[in-house]
Coordinates of all heavy atoms in Angstrom, one line a residue:
G876 N 6.1 7.0 -5.4 CA 7.0 7.1 -4.3 C 8.0 6.0 -4.1 O 8.9 6.1 -3.3
G877 N 7.9 4.9 -4.9 CA 8.8 3.9 -4.9 C 10.2 4.3 -5.4 O 10.3 5.3 -6.1
G878 N 11.2 3.5 -5.2 CA 12.5 3.8 -5.7 C 13.6 2.9 -5.0 O 13.3 1.9 -4.3
L879 N 14.8 3.4 -5.1 CA 15.9 2.7 -4.5 C 16.4 3.5 -3.3 O 16.6 4.7 -3.3 CB 17.1 2.6 -5.6 CG 18.4 2.0 -5.1 CD1 18.2 0.6 -4.7 CD2 19.5 2.2 -6.2
V880 N 16.6 2.7 -2.2 CA 17.1 3.4 -1.0 C 18.0 2.4 -0.3 O 17.9 1.2 -0.4 CB 15.9 3.7 -0.1 CG1 15.1 2.5 0.4 CG2 16.3 4.5 1.1
Q881 N 18.9 2.9 0.5 CA 19.9 2.1 1.3 C 19.2 1.6 2.5 O 18.3 2.3 3.1 CB 21.1 2.9 1.6 CG 22.0 3.2 0.4 CD 23.3 3.9 0.8 OE1 23.4 4.6 1.8 NE2 24.3 3.7 0.0
A882 N 19.7 0.5 3.0 CA 19.2 0.0 4.3 C 19.2 1.0 5.4 O 20.2 1.7 5.5 CB 19.9 -1.3 4.7
G883 N 18.2 1.2 6.2 CA 18.1 2.2 7.2 C 17.5 3.5 6.8 O 17.1 4.3 7.6
G884 N 17.3 3.6 5.5 CA 16.6 4.8 4.9 C 15.1 4.7 5.0 O 14.5 3.8 5.5
S885 N 14.5 5.8 4.4 CA 13.1 5.9 4.4 C 12.5 6.2 3.1 O 13.2 6.8 2.2 CB 12.7 7.0 5.4 OG 13.1 6.8 6.7
L886 N 11.3 5.9 2.9 CA 10.5 6.2 1.7 C 9.1 6.5 2.1 O 8.6 6.0 3.1 CB 10.5 5.1 0.7 CG 11.8 4.9 -0.2 CD1 11.6 3.6 -1.0 CD2 12.0 6.1 -1.1
R887 N 8.4 7.2 1.3 CA 6.9 7.5 1.5 C 6.2 7.1 0.3 O 6.4 7.7 -0.8 CB 6.7 8.9 1.9 CG 5.2 9.2 2.2 CD 4.9 10.6 2.6 NE 5.3 11.6 1.5 CZ 5.3 12.9 1.7 NH1 5.0 13.4 2.9 NH2 5.6 13.7 0.7
L888 N 5.3 6.1 0.4 CA 4.5 5.7 -0.7 C 3.2 6.5 -0.7 O 2.6 6.7 0.4 CB 4.2 4.2 -0.7 CG 5.5 3.3 -0.7 CD1 5.0 1.9 -0.8 CD2 6.4 3.7 -1.9
S889 N 2.6 6.8 -1.8 CA 1.3 7.5 -1.9 C 0.5 6.7 -2.9 O 0.9 6.0 -3.8 CB 1.5 8.9 -2.5 OG 2.2 9.7 -1.6
C890 N -0.8 6.7 -2.7 CA -1.8 6.1 -3.5 C -3.0 7.0 -3.7 O -3.6 7.4 -2.7 CB -2.2 4.8 -2.9 SG -3.5 3.9 -3.9
A891 N -3.3 7.4 -4.9 CA -4.4 8.2 -5.2 C -5.4 7.5 -6.1 O -5.1 6.8 -7.0 CB -3.9 9.5 -6.0
A892 N -6.7 7.6 -5.7 CA -7.8 7.0 -6.4 C -8.4 8.0 -7.3 O -8.6 9.2 -7.0 CB -8.8 6.5 -5.4
S893 N -8.8 7.6 -8.5 CA -9.5 8.4 -9.4 C -10.7 7.7 -9.9 O -10.9 6.5 -9.7 CB -8.6 8.7 -10.6 OG -8.2 7.6 -11.3
G894 N -11.6 8.4 -10.6 CA -12.9 7.9 -11.0 C -13.9 8.1 -9.9 O -13.8 9.2 -9.2
P895 N -14.9 7.2 -9.7 CA -15.9 7.4 -8.7 C -15.2 7.6 -7.3 O -14.3 6.9 -7.0 CB -16.7 6.2 -8.8 CG -16.5 5.7 -10.2 CD -15.1 6.0 -10.5
T896 N -15.8 8.5 -6.5 CA -15.3 8.8 -5.2 C -15.5 7.5 -4.3 O -16.5 6.9 -4.3 CB -16.0 10.0 -4.6 OG1 -15.8 11.1 -5.4 CG2 -15.5 10.2 -3.2
L897 N -14.4 7.2 -3.6 CA -14.6 6.1 -2.6 C -15.5 6.5 -1.5 O -15.3 7.6 -0.9 CB -13.2 5.7 -2.1 CG -12.2 5.1 -3.1 CD1 -10.8 4.9 -2.5 CD2 -12.7 3.8 -3.7
V898 N -16.4 5.6 -1.1 CA -17.3 5.8 0.0 C -17.2 4.7 1.0 O -17.4 3.6 0.7 CB -18.8 5.9 -0.6 CG1 -19.7 6.1 0.6 CG2 -18.9 7.0 -1.6
R899 N -16.8 5.1 2.2 CA -16.6 4.2 3.3 C -15.8 2.9 2.9 O -16.1 1.8 3.1 CB -17.9 3.7 3.9 CG -18.8 4.9 4.5 CD -19.9 4.5 5.3 NE -20.8 3.5 4.6 CZ -21.8 3.9 3.8 NH1 -22.0 5.2 3.5 NH2 -22.5 3.0 3.2
S900 N -14.7 3.2 2.2 CA -13.8 2.2 1.7 C -12.5 2.1 2.5 O -11.8 3.1 2.6 CB -13.5 2.4 0.2 OG -14.6 2.4 -0.6
A901 N -12.2 0.9 3.0 CA -10.8 0.8 3.6 C -9.8 0.8 2.5 O -10.1 0.4 1.3 CB -10.8 -0.5 4.4
M902 N -8.6 1.1 2.8 CA -7.5 1.1 1.9 C -6.3 0.4 2.6 O -6.1 0.5 3.8 CB -7.1 2.5 1.4 CG -8.2 3.2 0.6 SD -7.7 4.8 -0.1 CE -6.7 4.2 -1.5
G903 N -5.5 -0.2 1.7 CA -4.3 -0.9 2.3 C -3.2 -1.1 1.3 O -3.3 -0.7 0.2
W904 N -2.1 -1.6 1.8 CA -0.9 -1.9 1.0 C -0.5 -3.3 1.1 O -0.6 -3.9 2.2 CB 0.3 -1.0 1.5 CG 0.1 0.4 1.2 CD1 -0.4 1.4 2.0 CD2 0.5 1.1 0.0 NE1 -0.3 2.6 1.4 CE2 0.2 2.5 0.2 CE3 1.1 0.7 -1.2 CZ2 0.4 3.4 -0.8 CZ3 1.3 1.6 -2.2 CH2 1.0 3.0 -2.0
F905 N -0.2 -3.9 0.0 CA 0.3 -5.3 -0.1 C 1.7 -5.2 -0.8 O 2.0 -4.3 -1.5 CB -0.7 -6.2 -0.8 CG -2.0 -6.4 -0.1 CD1 -2.9 -5.3 -0.1 CD2 -2.3 -7.5 0.5 CE1 -4.1 -5.5 0.6 CE2 -3.5 -7.7 1.2 CZ -4.4 -6.7 1.2
R906 N 2.4 -6.3 -0.7 CA 3.7 -6.3 -1.4 C 4.0 -7.7 -1.9 O 3.5 -8.7 -1.3 CB 4.9 -5.8 -0.5 CG 5.2 -6.7 0.7 CD 6.3 -6.0 1.5 NE 6.7 -6.8 2.7 CZ 7.5 -6.4 3.6 NH1 8.0 -5.1 3.6 NH2 7.8 -7.2 4.6
Q907 N 4.8 -7.8 -2.9 CA 5.2 -9.1 -3.5 C 6.7 -9.1 -3.9 O 7.0 -8.3 -4.7 CB 4.3 -9.5 -4.7 CG 4.6 -10.9 -5.2 CD 3.5 -11.4 -6.1 OE1 2.8 -10.5 -6.7 NE2 3.4 -12.7 -6.3
A908 N 7.4 -9.9 -3.2 CA 8.9 -10.0 -3.6 C 9.1 -11.1 -4.6 O 8.2 -12.0 -4.7 CB 9.7 -10.3 -2.3
P909 N 10.2 -11.1 -5.3 CA 10.4 -12.1 -6.3 C 10.4 -13.5 -5.7 O 11.0 -13.8 -4.7 CB 11.8 -11.8 -6.8 CG 12.0 -10.3 -6.6 CD 11.2 -10.0 -5.3
G910 N 9.6 -14.4 -6.4 CA 9.5 -15.7 -5.9 C 8.6 -15.9 -4.7 O 8.6 -17.1 -4.2
M911 N 8.0 -14.9 -4.2 CA 7.2 -15.0 -3.0 C 5.7 -14.7 -3.3 O 5.4 -14.1 -4.3 CB 7.7 -13.9 -2.0 CG 9.2 -14.1 -1.6 SD 9.5 -15.6 -0.7 CE 8.7 -15.2 0.9
E912 N 4.9 -15.1 -2.4 CA 3.4 -14.8 -2.5 C 3.2 -13.3 -2.1 O 4.0 -12.7 -1.3 CB 2.6 -15.7 -1.6 CG 2.7 -17.2 -1.9 CD 2.0 -17.5 -3.2 OE1 1.0 -16.8 -3.6 OE2 2.4 -18.5 -3.9
R913 N 2.1 -12.8 -2.6 CA 1.7 -11.4 -2.2 C 1.3 -11.5 -0.7 O 0.6 -12.4 -0.3 CB 0.6 -10.9 -3.1 CG 0.2 -9.5 -2.8 CD -1.0 -9.0 -3.7 NE -2.2 -9.8 -3.5 CZ -3.2 -9.7 -4.3 NH1 -3.3 -8.9 -5.3 NH2 -4.3 -10.5 -4.0
E914 N 1.8 -10.5 0.0 CA 1.5 -10.4 1.4 C 0.9 -9.1 1.9 O 1.2 -8.1 1.3 CB 2.7 -10.8 2.3 CG 3.9 -9.7 2.2 CD 5.0 -10.0 3.1 OE1 4.9 -10.8 4.0 OE2 6.1 -9.4 2.9
F915 N 0.1 -9.2 2.9 CA -0.5 -8.0 3.5 C 0.6 -7.2 4.2 O 1.5 -7.7 4.9 CB -1.6 -8.4 4.5 CG -2.0 -7.2 5.4 CD1 -2.9 -6.3 4.9 CD2 -1.6 -7.1 6.7 CE1 -3.4 -5.3 5.7 CE2 -2.0 -6.1 7.5 CZ -2.9 -5.2 7.0
V916 N 0.6 -5.8 4.1 CA 1.5 -5.0 4.8 C 0.8 -4.1 5.8 O 1.2 -4.1 7.0 CB 2.3 -4.1 3.8 CG1 3.2 -3.1 4.5 CG2 3.1 -5.0 2.8
A917 N -0.2 -3.3 5.4 CA -0.9 -2.4 6.3 C -2.2 -2.0 5.7 O -2.5 -2.1 4.5 CB 0.0 -1.1 6.5
A918 N -3.1 -1.6 6.6 CA -4.5 -1.2 6.2 C -5.0 -0.2 7.1 O -4.6 0.0 8.3 CB -5.4 -2.4 6.1
I919 N -6.0 0.6 6.6 CA -6.6 1.6 7.4 C -8.1 1.7 7.0 O -8.4 1.6 5.9 CB -5.9 3.0 7.2 CG1 -6.4 4.1 8.1 CG2 -6.0 3.4 5.7 CD1 -5.6 5.3 8.2
T920 N -8.9 1.9 8.0 CA -10.4 2.0 7.8 C -10.7 3.3 7.1 O -9.9 4.3 7.0 CB -11.1 1.9 9.1 OG1 -10.7 3.0 10.0 CG2 -11.0 0.6 9.7
W921 N -11.9 3.4 6.5 CA -12.3 4.5 5.7 C -12.3 5.9 6.5 O -12.1 6.9 5.9 CB -13.7 4.3 5.2 CG -14.8 4.3 6.2 CD1 -15.3 3.3 7.0 CD2 -15.6 5.5 6.6 NE1 -16.3 3.7 7.8 CE2 -16.5 5.0 7.6 CE3 -15.7 6.8 6.2 CZ2 -17.4 5.9 8.2 CZ3 -16.6 7.7 6.8 CH2 -17.5 7.2 7.8

């Protein structure tokens, strides 16, 4: 779902897990900009 968008626009990111089924696992999003440390963005409980 990533890509190029103009300021003010919208995007929807998706994440799909494969392999063993996740069981009571929280999931989240992090991001890292050039020259910056990885930072927390959002999370959701299982």
